[in-house]
Amino acid sequence: MRKKLEALIQQAVVSLKKEGVIAEDINVNIALERTRGAQHGDFATNLAMMLAKSAKMNPRQLAEKLVAALPQDSAVTKVEIAGPGFINFFMDSSAQSDIIKLIHEHGADFGRSQVGAGKKIQVEFVSANPTGPLHVGHGRGAAYGSVIADLLEAVGFTVHREYYVNDAGRQMDILATSIWLRYLEECGEPMRFPDNGYRGDYVGDIARDIFRNAKNEYRRPFELVVEDIPQDEAQGGDKEAHIDALIARAKILLGTAGYRDVFQAGLNNILDDIKNDLLEFGVNYQEWFSEQQLMDDGSVEKALKRLQASGHLYEKDGATWFASSTLGDEKDRVVIRENGQYTYFASDIAYHANKLDRGFDQILDIWGADHHGYIPRVKAAIQALGADASKLKVLLVQFATLYRGEEKVQMSTRSGEFVTLRQLRDEVGKDAARFFYVMRRSEQHMDFDLQLATSKTSENPVYYVQYAHARVCSVLRHLVEKNLPRDIVSGMNALALLTEEHELALLSTLERYPEMLERAALTHEPHQLILYLRELANDFHTYYNAHQFLVDDAKVRDARLNLICAVKQVLANGLQLLNINTPESM
RNA sequence: GCGCUUGUAGCUCAGCUGGAUAGAGCAUCGGCCUUCUAAGCCGAGGGUCGCAGGUUCGAGUCCUGCCAAGCGUACCA
């Protein structure tokens, strides 16, 4: 209906251009918006005000000319000029009720479109280091990313969901060493745990696992472990130097194979846990991409060679630098350290080179907002690799500040004091957790009150939407119980009987679904979908309270049933995109 | 210091490419269950849209300055 109206206005503009009222060369961008209140009709455009200046007319005069030039159409019942020069359109309600037929026809596909035209888009999200279980901060990125991906797919993009596994690097070594030390403890070795080690219970769990399978195979005397090792922080030394020395010692004492065993046990265990966690949270991936793989197959080296060849690398102070400052970054960045090791950024360059090589039309990275300073250098890398910086879009998800009632919850992965995603799911359930996370704009700082979210009973807004769906199902059950017949076709022929205010409001909300979906997807704003569903549910609940559906008049009854079934369908379609259940009863 | 993000009702947040009287939930107060589930509905109160300028027919929205909060500013990941 919107598109139809836009076309009509376009025709009016063209004819005014021919008459010379509007200059030929003016680019007319028709802004047609839905009105907020019924007194302004169904649609309104500010076109006359936009063009008034260039046409050298006052807006109301121009509006009159536009209206006069507008072709007749049966769907438009009235056109009004209002306020400073708005043109308001009143649409025929029988034309509006056609949306019910459309929804019935398309079913689960209603709202889906092809604006993405099959373009390949990669969405990388969560990508938390496999050094421990996911916590509630990762949950927001997981929910947000998976809904973005599903939305993009719904509007016609070919979506590749990916998790970048940081299975190389120092943090993983710290984890492996932490596990080994806990293992020594399990063996009965007297042991001092480093200040900078991973302290979570899961570290001990993995250590016990290893001990159960391998017994004392990896046991070494603790005196040898700490022999000539620099002092830890609590002992008056430097914790970083201490842990690095422990890592080096672990590699020596265990040998390459032994160290790899412990390392792999930790990685596999935690990665399996993360995969399982996300699966249960309704998050699916097409690919788990290993950083170590990039190291092993020479991709990092190759990527740096490409930068070298295009003249973006230089040596200074014994390190190799990427001249990112020539491409918009604040300063240049080290890619190979003085000690010959690649920086994290080096493998990230390789990773993005790999993404580019795979031929995605668009690359979407979803990061925690604390990484925002990283964007310019990655964009610089993209350009240095010969691609357009706009190929990459980075979406930031603000970290949620956790509260338990009034009290702020402090979190630190290292100390092991954090609320895990799994704990949250156990407490509030998948549906409420997903709904809560996606409800807010992602770049908005969010106060996440666990007490509120875990209160199963009341104000979880997800129930409100689900309840609307369940209520429709309940009405349909009653229909059967009362042995009332239902004739869908007859109902479709009687849609003109839907003239109540609440019914018209529902029709207009239903009609908005496809354009809302498109916008939510293209602007990467899943909260728009949530807002919409709450509105639709509200319209329905209001209608439910005001009118009986199972009335004696069969035609009215069938028409109303078709309407509420359309509501049920759209609620289901929306909830499905959010990967939230659609209960038939509550 | 510089950069990014944010500042809207008591609280948590919406506000579509600048548009008509700034909205919702929660909380508070007052109504509605012999009718298809009251996890619902109806109503009331509550706002200098951080502050000050500017742009224009028109600014919560755009520009500038200031204030405040969070994050970032590594040869860590």
Side-chain angles (χ1 to χ4, degrees):
Chain A
M1 185 127 40
R2 184 195 198 102
K3 297 229 158 92
K4 192 174 190 177
L5 198 50
E6 274 174 9
L8 292 178
I9 297 168
Q10 189 63 47
Q11 283 181 49
V13 170
V14 168
S15 57
L16 285 194
K17 276 186 176 176
K18 274 190 190 140
E19 289 175 31
V21 178
I22 305 171
E24 282 283 353
D25 54 348
I26 282 193
N27 188 19
V28 180
N29 187 13
I30 296 173
L32 188 65
E33 60 180 31
R34 289 185 184 273
T35 53
R36 251 181 300 170
Q39 72 273 21
H40 296 130
D42 299 294
F43 291 93
T45 181
N46 59 0
L47 196 58
M49 290 180 284
M50 302 280 284
L51 297 176
K53 192 173 247 181
S54 65
K56 297 192 180 101
M57 291 175 78
N58 83 49
R60 290 192 68 110
Q61 264 183 323
L62 184 59
E64 274 173 40
K65 289 209 180 274
L66 274 167
V67 171
L70 206 66
Q72 285 290 323
D73 193 284
S74 60
V76 183
T77 53
K78 192 167 64 164
V79 182
E80 264 181 12
I81 298 166
F86 288 103
I87 304 173
N88 294 333
F89 299 90
F90 293 76
M91 310 303 283
D92 183 42
S93 66
S94 69
Q96 291 199 61
S97 63
D98 282 350
I99 194 67
I100 295 177
K101 295 178 191 161
L102 205 65
I103 293 168
H104 182 257
E105 215 173 289
H106 293 270
D109 287 333
F110 176 72
R112 304 183 85 90
S113 69
Q114 286 304 321
V115 287
K119 275 193 207 146
K120 285 174 68 186
I121 181 160
Q122 188 213 30
V123 184
E124 184 220 321
F125 60 109
V126 185
S127 298
N129 283 348
T131 52
L134 298 177
H135 55 69
V136 290
H138 298 126
R140 193 175 184 187
Y144 180 64
S146 67
V147 175
I148 289 272
D150 289 358
L151 280 172
L152 287 168
E153 210 160 65
V155 300
F157 289 92
T158 304
V159 179
H160 190 79
R161 301 163 183 79
E162 193 158 311
Y163 187 118
Y164 182 51
V165 183
N166 291 116
D167 51 4
R170 183 163 171 268
Q171 292 304 319
M172 286 305 294
D173 281 326
I174 294 176
L175 176 75
T177 303
S178 300
I179 292 171
W180 184 51
L181 291 170
R182 287 292 180 214
Y183 161 86
L184 291 181
E185 190 174 47
E186 196 65 23
C187 294
E189 281 293 325
M191 185 275 298
R192 184 194 172 279
F193 199 76
D195 299 335
N196 215 12
Y198 283 98
R199 294 186 169 275
D201 292 340
Y202 62 92
V203 176
D205 293 342
I206 297 168
R208 271 186 291 283
D209 243 35
I210 297 174
F211 181 72
R212 205 173 307 127
N213 295 326
K215 301 300 175 211
N216 288 315
E217 188 183 338
Y218 306 110
R219 182 170 180 173
R220 304 289 185 275
F222 192 65
E223 307 91 72
L224 282 183
V225 176
V226 286
E227 197 179 45
D228 297 328
I229 293 286
Q231 298 278 283
D232 204 349
E233 190 170 67
Q235 304 165 320
D238 173 23
K239 61 178 179 181
E240 306 293 346
H242 178 75
I243 195 96
D244 283 337
L246 283 178
I247 292 167
R249 182 62 50 85
K251 287 178 178 172
I252 292 167
L253 291 177
L254 285 169
T256 310
Y259 183 80
R260 195 190 54 221
D261 289 348
V262 174
F263 185 101
Q264 282 298 328
L267 174 63
N268 293 340
N269 194 301
I270 289 172
L271 205 53
D272 283 351
D273 176 74
I274 289 175
K275 285 181 180 179
N276 175 266
D277 200 6
L278 287 173
L279 202 65
E280 287 178 7
F281 193 43
V283 178
N284 298 291
Y285 286 97
Q286 272 74 51
E287 189 163 351
W288 296 74
F289 196 98
S290 159
E291 179 189 8
Q292 188 64 52
Q293 184 71 38
L294 288 172
M295 299 287 204
D296 293 346
D297 68 9
S299 296
V300 178
E301 202 185 333
K302 221 183 300 169
L304 293 185
K305 282 226 172 84
R306 275 171 72 178
L307 296 188
Q308 179 92 57
S310 54
H312 290 94
L313 295 188
Y314 65 89
E315 308 276 329
K316 194 181 93 181
D317 303 333
T320 303
W321 296 70
F322 169 44
S324 55
S325 64
T326 60
L327 295 166
D329 197 8
E330 286 180 349
K331 50 177 283 195
D332 295 345
R333 309 289 173 178
V334 171
V335 287
I336 303 176
R337 288 183 255 173
E338 214 172 340
N339 65 10
Q341 293 206 309
Y342 293 122
T343 58
Y344 172 81
F345 181 45
S347 46
D348 232 16
I349 293 172
Y351 182 36
H352 283 88
N354 178 288
K355 291 186 181 195
L356 290 172
D357 290 347
R358 278 188 274 167
F360 295 111
D361 295 295
Q362 171 105 74
I363 297 166
L364 224 54
D365 284 5
I366 298 177
W367 297 349
D370 53 338
H371 287 73
H372 65 79
Y374 213 73
I375 297 173
R377 77 189 71 167
V378 176
K379 290 230 174 205
I382 299 263
Q383 290 175 74
L385 289 164
D388 196 314
S390 65
K391 262 267 163 84
L392 170 71
K393 188 153 171 88
V394 181
L395 305 176
L396 298 176
V397 179
Q398 279 290 350
F399 199 77
T401 311
L402 278 183
Y403 287 84
R404 250 184 228 289
E406 294 290 297
E407 197 191 339
K408 201 167 175 175
V409 181
Q410 297 296 338
M411 300 216 301
S412 153
T413 313
R414 199 65 56 70
S415 64
E417 294 162 16
F418 51 84
V419 181
T420 64
L421 176 60
R422 186 169 269 115
Q423 281 170 337
L424 181 73
R425 287 195 293 107
D426 286 346
E427 284 182 56
V428 292
K430 182 192 86 167
D431 291 349
R434 289 185 72 98
F435 198 93
F436 230 87
Y437 276 132
V438 177
M439 194 162 56
R440 256 102 225 209
R441 238 168 72 240
S442 70
E443 60 267 39
Q444 180 73 250
H445 295 254
M446 172 169 127
D447 284 349
F448 198 124
D449 185 345
L450 289 167
Q451 241 162 44
L452 193 80
T454 53
S455 73
K456 187 128 192 170
T457 44
S458 55
E459 55 273 346
N460 257 322
V462 62
Y463 296 130
Y464 185 80
V465 178
Q466 288 181 319
Y467 183 44
H469 183 271
R471 263 186 156 173
V472 178
C473 296
S474 172
V475 173
L476 295 174
R477 281 194 297 273
H478 269 269
L479 180 78
V480 175
E481 280 166 24
K482 289 184 175 176
N483 275 319
L484 287 169
R486 178 178 174 208
D487 187 333
I488 293 177
V489 176
S490 148
M492 290 302 179
N493 290 328
L495 292 181
L497 299 174
L498 301 176
T499 53
E500 298 287 349
E501 197 185 319
H502 293 112
E503 292 166 341
L504 297 179
L506 265 176
L507 287 175
S508 137
T509 303
L510 286 172
E511 223 219 35
R512 259 171 47 214
Y513 182 70
E515 66 199 55
M516 175 284 303
L517 207 62
E518 188 176 314
R519 189 164 78 92
L522 295 178
T523 60
H524 315 114
E525 291 185 339
H527 73 278
Q528 298 288 352
L529 174 56
I530 299 240
L531 282 167
Y532 173 86
L533 290 175
R534 293 173 78 170
E535 240 179 273
L536 180 59
N538 180 33
D539 287 347
F540 172 75
H541 285 308
T542 305
Y543 179 39
Y544 181 97
N545 267 65
H547 297 283
Q548 193 78 12
F549 307 146
L550 301 178
V551 290
D552 292 336
D553 185 329
K555 280 186 177 169
V556 173
R557 186 175 68 228
D558 284 330
R560 289 185 173 173
L561 285 172
N562 284 358
L563 171 60
I564 65 169
C565 280
V567 171
K568 172 174 178 271
Q569 182 72 62
V570 173
L571 287 172
N573 291 1
L575 287 173
Q576 192 153 38
L577 280 172
L578 294 167
N579 211 324
I580 289 174
N581 282 317
T582 49
E584 308 239 314
S585 67
M586 289 174 75

